[in-house]
Amino acid sequence: MSQSIIQLADNLPSENITISALKALDFVVPGEWQNTVGFANMVREITGKKDPDKIQKISERALWIYNDESLGYQKAIWLYQIVDNADSAMGMAAMANKVSQSISFLGFLNKLTPKADTIQSVDLCIKLVAELIAFCILNRIPIYSIPDFVKALPNYHNEAVMRMAALVCFDGLIPLGPDFLQVSGRTINGLNPAMLEQNPVFQKVSGLIPGNNAQNKLGFISQTFNSAQGWMGNLVSSRGLKPASILGKLQGFVDVADDKLDYVAAFLDMTTNYYEHTGIQTVSRYLINEAAQQVKK
């Protein structure tokens, strides 16, 4: 890895479009996510330690653990980064710095290319699989277990549940509509393996998805999505989530009509990296907890 976990955490932004977009979803998972940046700050928040020497020892131990590639923390970071990097291939870095002002879409419509429903559905399902794989890596589950992942989803908290809420809202409801689960289910269950192999996100992460060919990997993706549908559907129904309600929260910094939701989705793809941002926070949390236990012993 080019950067250590401490550098990654220290370099997390305190404000940009990603942060504003995630803050707009606080109503979905109230009070769960705070944008804590800086590794030392994370150590203080997670462990409650205030002694600089103890914070330093935990940080040093966390770095040592992270550098042990056999433990998989670096692989988890790579997964969170890669799904965002593929999504942001058309990214406009300059737009990410305009968080302090409302952004009108009128000047950007000709630069945005909304994804077809098929591509959007596949991306959603692959992001879900990436979350499953990272979860299993971080929890030392040797075989990527769909039942263990689905069982854990109701117990997700902090940045992890915010990441899943963003997945449902930004990659599901906004681009695909209120029936996104049905749309994505039909798409992934009826997808030709050859079409899957053309997806750029799949091309990046296919080596980590169980299966010795595209057909088997597609089966695993489909099974993961079908198994997690219940949790996602419950989140939508229990919070009364609708595309319009999410857009209403986003309109605090994005000025766009509600008949342009596919362009909102393209805009979010271009300007946010919520998977990477919250993924770094998640990996940091696991590392800090493990390091704190080791230092205590």
Side-chain angles (χ1 to χ4, degrees):
M1 301 289 289
S2 58
Q3 290 186 304
S4 72
I5 188 62
I6 293 177
Q7 291 172 318
L8 289 169
D10 287 349
N11 291 335
L12 286 176
S14 57
E15 283 216 40
N16 63 6
I17 290 180
T18 296
I19 309 310
S20 290
L22 292 176
K23 286 180 178 178
L25 295 186
D26 183 70
F27 78 105
V28 182
V29 285
E32 284 284 357
W33 180 72
Q34 302 295 325
N35 185 37
T36 305
V37 301
F39 200 81
N41 291 331
M42 292 180 184
V43 174
R44 292 187 190 93
E45 178 184 285
I46 293 167
T47 67
K49 303 294 184 184
K50 297 180 180 180
D51 186 322
D53 289 338
K54 290 182 179 179
I55 292 171
Q56 181 66 24
K57 287 180 180 178
I58 292 172
S59 298
E60 290 174 355
R61 189 62 182 178
L63 181 59
W64 184 89
I65 296 169
Y66 181 74
N67 287 337
D68 184 346
E69 293 185 18
S70 68
L71 298 178
Y73 286 108
Q74 293 185 32
K75 186 179 291 184
I77 286 289
W78 178 85
L79 262 173
Y80 287 127
Q81 289 177 327
I82 207 68
V83 293
D84 264 335
N85 290 342
D87 252 356
S88 304
M90 334 180 279
M92 293 181 183
M95 293 173 69
N97 295 322
K98 293 195 172 185
V99 68
S100 61
Q101 55 189 298
S102 178
I103 300 173
S104 172
F105 266 173
L106 297 178
F108 297 115
L109 288 180
N110 62 341
K111 299 178 182 178
L112 296 170
T113 305
K115 296 174 181 175
D117 284 359
T118 298
I119 297 174
Q120 187 69 56
S121 296
V122 173
D123 284 359
L124 167 65
C125 293
I126 293 176
K127 273 189 172 180
L128 186 63
V129 170
E131 178 67 27
L132 179 156
I133 294 172
F135 166 82
C136 290
I137 289 172
L138 294 173
N139 287 280
R140 311 278 168 80
I141 299 172
I143 299 175
Y144 300 148
S145 169
I146 295 173
D148 284 338
F149 172 61
V150 173
K151 184 179 179 180
L153 278 174
N155 299 314
Y156 262 35
H157 290 291
N158 308 115
E159 60 282 332
V161 74
M162 175 56 81
R163 183 169 55 255
M164 291 301 296
L167 177 68
V168 168
C169 294
F170 298 158
D171 290 281
L173 282 164
I174 287 181
L176 296 171
D179 299 326
F180 79 96
L181 289 173
Q182 292 84 350
V183 172
S184 296
R186 286 195 303 268
T187 298
I188 203 68
N189 292 328
L191 194 67
N192 185 310
M195 294 180 64
L196 178 64
E197 291 180 307
Q198 297 173 11
N199 183 279
V201 185
F202 175 78
Q203 291 171 2
K204 296 286 188 180
V205 303
S206 62
L208 292 179
I209 299 175
N212 54 15
N213 56 47
Q215 179 68 59
N216 292 340
K217 292 176 188 292
L218 177 57
F220 185 84
I221 295 170
S222 178
Q223 186 181 356
T224 300
F225 177 79
N226 292 336
S227 298
Q229 273 198 68
W231 182 86
M232 292 189 287
N234 183 64
L235 180 69
V236 172
S237 61
S238 64
R239 300 293 192 270
L241 299 180
K242 297 178 181 178
S245 63
I246 300 165
L247 180 61
K249 298 295 184 179
L250 293 175
Q251 281 178 330
F253 67 95
V254 177
D255 179 19
V256 63
D258 58 8
D259 63 345
K260 299 292 184 181
L261 286 174
D262 50 350
Y263 285 95
V264 175
F267 172 79
L268 292 170
D269 277 349
M270 289 172 58
T271 59
T272 67
N273 65 331
Y274 75 86
Y275 240 66
E276 177 183 11
H277 188 100
T278 61
I280 290 170
Q281 291 173 329
T282 290
V283 173
S284 296
R285 181 178 297 275
Y286 273 87
L287 276 167
I288 288 166
N289 282 326
E290 183 171 356
Q293 286 298 317
Q294 292 188 13
V295 168
K296 183 178 180 180
K297 291 178 180 179

